[in-house]
């Protein structure tokens, strides 16, 4: 008969190492079952409000601090002056370019609008869900998040739990030790500072202050904070993930290496030189030039892995836009959608 061995036991004189923990058993979380009018992005299920023709900015997304209500007259305005970009003088995209691309994409994938009123999701849910979505698929991160919520009733329980218990719950999302450390550090730090394991106070903070308060935590970058601003707090914030970054590079909406080298060779002052193009500098550029009223819809269309552009234009494909029509690998978008559906 087979004898079970534990760590430290010996079989015929040889030390038998501890067996690797089994990966967490993926369950079928409700978060992965989408209804009509829902999107799936960064491992998070996002409910959408109704899209009405000619509607002004929804209540969930706050009005830009610089100006007038976001309606048709604001469609060509970004969230800040062009000088807010780390690439001053780089002409693409113009707000009109963004409006034109959004019009074409929304005709195929639908315009995305936030629900009216306050988000029902806790901000900590979004923070943890986004951390779990790093370096894995939406399916795996959603399973890890559902396992975590099933195992622990509250975030306070996660804060007090042993790291090994949390790691077991989220293992199917990958990088469990690192993600556990990040998650528990945030929970413990917030509890010490606020006297409660909650980030709901961020709903009363400005867009910039939300970035300042959250980016100090390891594992939380500009993308995660922008998602929280966009989905939960209500600030227009153009989060840039791997999908958005790839599309921006393919569309020429961030400088190429050649563009950057040519620009930096001309300028004399170091402060006028363009930085290396990364997801963070791309975020700063796109957030500065995208119209505020389109940031929510464009982000979800570009990142929704169940009903958005990534279902047709994957990491192996190339996106292009001539100002009137969208193409995937040179094929018109609607044709690419039909061909993908037939496979």
């Amino acid at each position: 008969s087979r004898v079970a061995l534990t760590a430290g036991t010996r079989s015929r004189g040889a030390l038998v190492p501890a067996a690797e923990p089994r990966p967490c058993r993926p369950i079928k979380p409700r978060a992965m079952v989408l209804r009509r009018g829902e999107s799936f992005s960064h491992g998070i299920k996002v409910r959408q409000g109704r899209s009405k023709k000619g509607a002004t900015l929804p209540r969930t997304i706050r009005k830009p601090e610089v100006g007038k209500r976001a309606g048709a007259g604001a469609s060509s305005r970004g969230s800040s002056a062009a000088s807010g970009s780390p690439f001053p003088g780089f002409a693409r995209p113009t707000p009109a370019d963004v409006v034109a691309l959004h019009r074409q994409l929304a005709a195929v994938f639908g315009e995305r609008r936030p629900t009216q009123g306050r988000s029902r999701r806790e901000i900590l849910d979004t923070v943890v869900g986004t951390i779990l979505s790093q370096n894995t698929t939406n399916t795996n991160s959603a399973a890890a998040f559902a396992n975590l919520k099933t195992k622990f009733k509250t975030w306070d329980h996660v804060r007090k739990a042993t790291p090994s218990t949390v790691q077991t719950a989220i293992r199917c999302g990958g990088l469990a030790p690192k993600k556990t450390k990040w998650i528990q550090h945030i929970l413990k730090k917030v509890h010490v500072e606020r006297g409660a394991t909650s980030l709901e106070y961020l709903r009363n903070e400005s867009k910039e202050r939300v970035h300042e308060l959250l980016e100090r935590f390891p594992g939380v970058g500009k993308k995660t904070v922008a998602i929280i601003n966009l989905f939960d707090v209500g600030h227009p914030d153009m989060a840039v993930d791997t999908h958005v970054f790839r599309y921006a590079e393919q569309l020429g909406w961030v400088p190429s290496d050649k563009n950057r080298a040519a620009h930096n060779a001309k300028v004399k002052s170091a402060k006028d030189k363009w930085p290396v193009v990364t997801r963070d500098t791309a975020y700063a550029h796109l957030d500065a030039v995208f119209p505020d009223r389109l940031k929510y819809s464009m982000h979800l269309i570009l990142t929704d892995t169940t009903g958005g552009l990534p279902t047709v234009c994957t990491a192996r494909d190339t996106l292009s836009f001539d100002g009137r029509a969208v193409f995937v690998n040179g094929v018109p978008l609607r044709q690419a959608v039909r061909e993908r559906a037939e496979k």
Side-chain angles (χ1 to χ4, degrees):
S1 62
R2 184 171 297 177
V3 179
L5 298 172
T6 59
T9 60
R10 291 181 179 272
S11 174
R12 296 182 181 176
L15 181 65
V16 179
E20 286 295 319
R22 292 183 180 180
C24 63
R25 180 180 171 186
I27 60 176
K28 294 181 180 179
R30 292 178 62 187
M32 295 169 61
V33 180
L34 298 182
R35 299 185 180 91
R36 184 180 180 86
E38 292 179 335
S39 301
F40 198 43
S41 179
H42 313 291
I44 302 166
K45 182 173 70 173
V46 182
R47 294 184 178 87
Q48 296 162 201
R50 293 182 180 179
S51 177
K52 296 182 179 179
K53 198 171 183 179
T56 57
L57 199 66
R59 287 197 302 269
T60 304
I61 295 293
R62 302 180 187 179
K63 297 178 182 179
E65 295 178 3
V66 294
K68 306 173 182 178
R69 71 177 179 85
S75 64
S76 62
R77 296 179 63 86
S79 62
S80 58
S83 60
S85 167
F87 311 117
F90 185 70
R92 301 188 67 194
T94 65
D97 290 334
V98 180
V99 171
L101 178 62
H102 178 263
R103 184 182 300 116
Q104 295 301 315
L105 294 177
V108 176
F109 301 109
E111 181 182 5
R112 312 302 172 91
R113 296 180 69 85
T115 55
Q116 296 295 304
R118 177 173 170 168
S119 168
R120 298 178 183 177
R121 182 177 49 245
E122 285 186 63
I123 292 177
L124 269 174
D125 283 17
T126 305
V127 173
V128 174
T130 307
I131 288 174
L132 292 175
S133 74
Q134 297 177 23
N135 301 106
T136 191
T137 64
N138 270 340
T139 300
N140 288 342
S141 65
F145 183 80
N147 287 339
L148 190 64
K149 296 287 277 188
T150 300
K151 177 71 175 178
F152 303 99
K153 293 183 179 179
T154 67
W155 291 120
D156 214 40
H157 287 128
V158 178
R159 174 178 68 86
K160 297 174 182 178
T162 61
S164 61
T165 307
V166 178
Q167 289 175 29
T168 300
I170 67 172
R171 185 163 288 120
C172 56
L175 301 177
K178 180 181 288 188
K179 292 176 181 178
T180 294
K181 185 177 180 180
W182 289 343
I183 291 167
Q184 289 195 307
H185 173 70
I186 293 170
L187 299 178
K188 291 174 181 178
K189 186 74 171 177
V190 169
H191 186 269
V192 168
E193 293 177 348
R194 308 293 300 186
T197 312
S198 171
L199 287 172
E200 294 307 294
Y201 74 96
L202 293 176
R203 296 185 190 277
N204 298 318
E205 301 289 351
S206 68
K207 171 180 172 178
E208 293 73 21
R209 182 63 174 157
V210 174
H211 274 275
E212 180 183 343
L213 288 168
L214 290 181
E215 285 185 35
R216 62 197 172 113
F217 293 121
V220 179
K222 296 183 185 302
K223 180 199 78 171
T224 297
V225 183
I227 289 168
I228 291 158
N229 268 329
L230 198 61
F231 290 172
D232 295 325
V233 181
H235 296 305
D237 209 350
M238 189 56 205
V240 174
D241 71 343
T242 54
H243 299 292
V244 178
F245 187 46
R246 180 174 70 253
Y247 298 144
E249 287 187 309
Q250 292 174 351
L251 294 171
W253 283 11
V254 290
S256 65
D257 290 340
K258 186 176 180 180
N259 294 149
R260 180 172 170 269
H263 172 84
N264 288 349
K266 294 177 183 178
V267 298
K268 297 180 179 180
S269 173
K271 68 178 183 179
D272 294 326
K273 291 184 181 295
W274 289 348
V276 174
V277 178
T278 64
R279 272 180 26 186
D280 283 352
T281 56
Y283 158 74
H285 176 64
L286 298 180
D287 190 58
V289 301
F290 267 49
D292 278 335
R293 73 181 184 90
L294 294 182
K295 288 177 181 177
Y296 185 94
S297 186
M298 279 292 281
H299 176 77
L300 277 178
I301 290 174
L302 297 178
T303 63
D304 182 359
T305 56
T306 60
L309 186 58
T311 62
V312 180
C313 191
T314 69
R316 299 183 298 274
D317 302 310
T318 302
L319 181 71
S320 57
F321 178 55
D322 64 6
R324 294 176 306 235
V326 178
F327 303 87
V328 177
N329 300 326
V331 176
L333 179 59
R334 288 187 182 277
Q335 181 181 336
V337 171
R338 287 195 300 269
E339 290 177 354
R340 187 60 58 95
E342 292 169 358
K343 288 184 179 180

